[in-house]
Amino acid sequence: MRQKDTIILGIESSCDDTSAAVSFNTRILSNVIAGQKVHQDYGGVVPELASRVHQQNIIPVVDTAIKKAGISKKDIDAVAFTRGPGLMGSLLVGTSFAKAFALSMDIPLIEVNHMVGHVLAHFIDDENKGKPDFPFLCLTVSGGHTQIVLVEDYLKLKVIGSTIDDAAGEAFDKSAKLLGFPYPGGPLIDKFAKEGNPFAFSFAKPNIGSYDYSFSGLKTSILYFLQKQQEINPSFIETHLNDLCASIQQSIIEILLKKITKAATDFKINQIAIAGGVSANSGLRNAIMDLGTQKNWKIFIPKFEYCTDNAAMIAITGKFMYDRGLHADQNVTALPRMPF
Ligand code: KG4
Ligand code: ZN
């Protein structure tokens, strides 16, 4: 039986992006994202500042998303919001807004797990990209998480590996900080790496079992290497910036691809997807495409705007939950450490 047409308003506020999106079935009608520049000088997101900016942004962002979608508030069938994981103060803004919106419009409320949202972004309609079949593996790499997820169905996802310390995005951002870049430095490493030699320098790679990741050794190795080189040549970083970025990026990519290769082999799965902010990295996108050609895998890479935090992925996840009658009630609260 064909599902009825559904319009969902998605709300995302787990970290430092305030976003609202409107979906019509699995098509996105609008996806509005307001970033926060206030954290740039601090080397990371300052939770208290983030929640204050979310409060300022949430209403104009939702209003713009509804207008851009060309719908009216009354057309919305349900509101889906990120319940967690994320920063408590940030999550509270989106959660409170979504609850109030659902209550005032008398429509269902749907609580979405942010990490599930990143994975299900692959099911947003996109004429340039096919959708994966089940089962597939998704390497979900963001500022807070690094996971290998076995996806058996839309809402049947199992984490088979995760980081035991830093996330891949943190590895990018902390390395970038050592190079003197503002937060978030990941995209800047990506930019400078394009002009550099990825094999100019090599750094320590972790050696841990199973499908888990570790990035703390890499970070320490970069720190000691830079300290040593700067004692010899105080302008070492400026002189070798491109090569340093390319080599750091290469090390992170090698670490990421080693475990996904192991998982694909062990689980005999040849459909591999990437998701999360770090999947916007051009080096990772190229490397996984090359690996896919080599291994005969089908590779799925989201559109840039659906890699970093966005509400389109929350709306789409909300749509799959809505179809299954998975509604939350008005007692629901934000859950910073929400399990998968
Ligand atoms: O998924 P996301 O937007 O937010 C979280 O849920 O954490 O991911 C943000 C992370 C940051 O660490 C940022 O530096 C990283 O994604 N990132 C990148 C790139 N774009 C975003 N890292 C490397 N290269 C990029 N192009
Ligand atoms: Zn995210």
Side-chain angles (χ1 to χ4, degrees):
M1 194 183 75
R2 190 178 173 276
Q3 300 280 359
K4 120 179 193 327
D5 288 338
T6 315
I7 294 184
I8 308 270
L9 170 67
I11 308 281
E12 156 64 33
S13 72
S14 64
C15 190
D16 59 342
D17 291 306
T18 320
S19 180
V22 176
S23 63
F24 176 82
N25 298 336
T26 46
R27 192 150 61 83
I28 297 301
L29 302 181
S30 65
N31 181 37
V32 178
I33 305 169
Q36 303 185 354
K37 294 217 179 311
V38 64
H39 310 288
Q40 268 180 355
D41 297 335
Y42 296 95
V45 176
V46 184
E48 180 55 37
L49 294 179
S51 65
R52 281 189 225 168
V53 182
H54 281 306
Q55 283 182 25
Q56 287 164 11
N57 288 347
I58 187 89
I59 291 177
V61 164
V62 172
D63 193 46
T64 310
I66 291 174
K67 284 194 180 120
K68 273 197 170 169
I71 59 154
S72 109
K73 265 194 311 197
K74 294 191 302 300
D75 300 325
I76 297 170
D77 294 299
V79 51
F81 69 99
T82 301
R83 185 182 178 201
L87 301 169
M88 181 51 131
S90 293
L91 291 166
L92 274 175
V93 178
T95 303
S96 314
F97 180 88
K99 284 168 70 172
F101 191 92
L103 190 65
S104 66
M105 300 303 293
D106 195 23
I107 54 173
L109 182 63
I110 301 169
E111 53 164 287
V112 171
N113 182 305
H114 179 86
M115 298 311 293
V116 173
H118 273 304
V119 176
L120 297 189
H122 283 283
F123 295 99
I124 292 173
D125 290 359
D126 178 352
E127 66 273 18
N128 299 315
K129 172 187 161 297
K131 298 178 185 182
D133 295 321
F134 302 113
F136 67 95
L137 289 172
C138 187
L139 175 65
T140 313
V141 272
S142 72
H145 294 81
T146 296
Q147 298 170 332
I148 297 179
V149 185
L150 171 64
V151 191
E152 292 175 313
D153 203 345
Y154 295 110
L155 300 177
K156 196 167 169 217
L157 304 92
K158 196 153 61 177
V159 177
I160 59 167
S162 53
T163 179
I164 59 164
D165 41 58
D166 289 346
E170 272 177 295
F172 269 107
D173 297 336
K174 288 179 179 174
S175 308
K177 194 175 171 191
L178 296 175
L179 299 177
F181 289 136
Y183 177 84
L188 292 166
I189 294 202
D190 189 353
K191 183 175 152 202
F192 287 91
K194 291 192 175 107
E195 309 297 324
N197 171 7
F199 302 103
F201 309 109
S202 80
F203 304 106
K205 311 259 174 2
N207 194 10
I208 53 166
S210 69
Y211 310 112
D212 287 340
Y213 286 106
S214 166
F215 288 99
S216 63
L218 170 72
K219 182 186 62 191
T220 314
S221 146
I222 295 168
L223 173 69
Y224 289 162
F225 174 77
L226 291 177
Q227 282 174 345
K228 205 169 126 206
Q229 296 302 324
Q230 281 177 298
E231 270 171 28
I232 306 164
N233 170 11
S235 53
F236 180 81
I237 293 181
E238 296 87 88
T239 341
H240 296 91
L241 192 59
N242 295 343
D243 285 349
L244 280 167
C245 288
S247 303
I248 291 169
Q249 180 171 292
Q250 175 64 23
S251 301
I252 297 173
I253 293 171
E254 270 178 39
I255 296 171
L256 289 173
L257 295 188
K258 188 174 165 193
K259 292 300 173 81
I260 192 80
T261 304
K262 178 173 162 51
T265 312
D266 293 354
F267 283 80
K268 298 188 175 48
I269 289 180
N270 64 359
Q271 293 196 88
I272 313 291
I274 53 173
V278 178
S279 65
N281 182 267
S282 55
L284 176 62
R285 292 164 88 97
N286 292 334
I288 201 155
M289 289 297 290
D290 290 348
L291 189 62
T293 311
Q294 225 183 78
K295 302 264 181 199
N296 220 359
W297 293 341
K298 229 171 146 183
I299 302 292
F300 298 89
I301 301 180
K303 228 173 157 176
F304 276 111
E305 68 171 307
Y306 303 139
C307 287
T308 44
D309 288 349
N310 66 88
M313 68 186 197
I314 304 303
I316 226 69
T317 306
K319 146 83 181 147
F320 294 121
M321 295 178 72
Y322 181 85
D323 289 347
R324 289 157 183 77
L326 297 171
H327 302 165
D329 66 35
Q330 281 287 332
N331 294 324
V332 67
T333 53
L335 198 56
R337 294 187 170 273
M338 188 172 185
F340 217 71

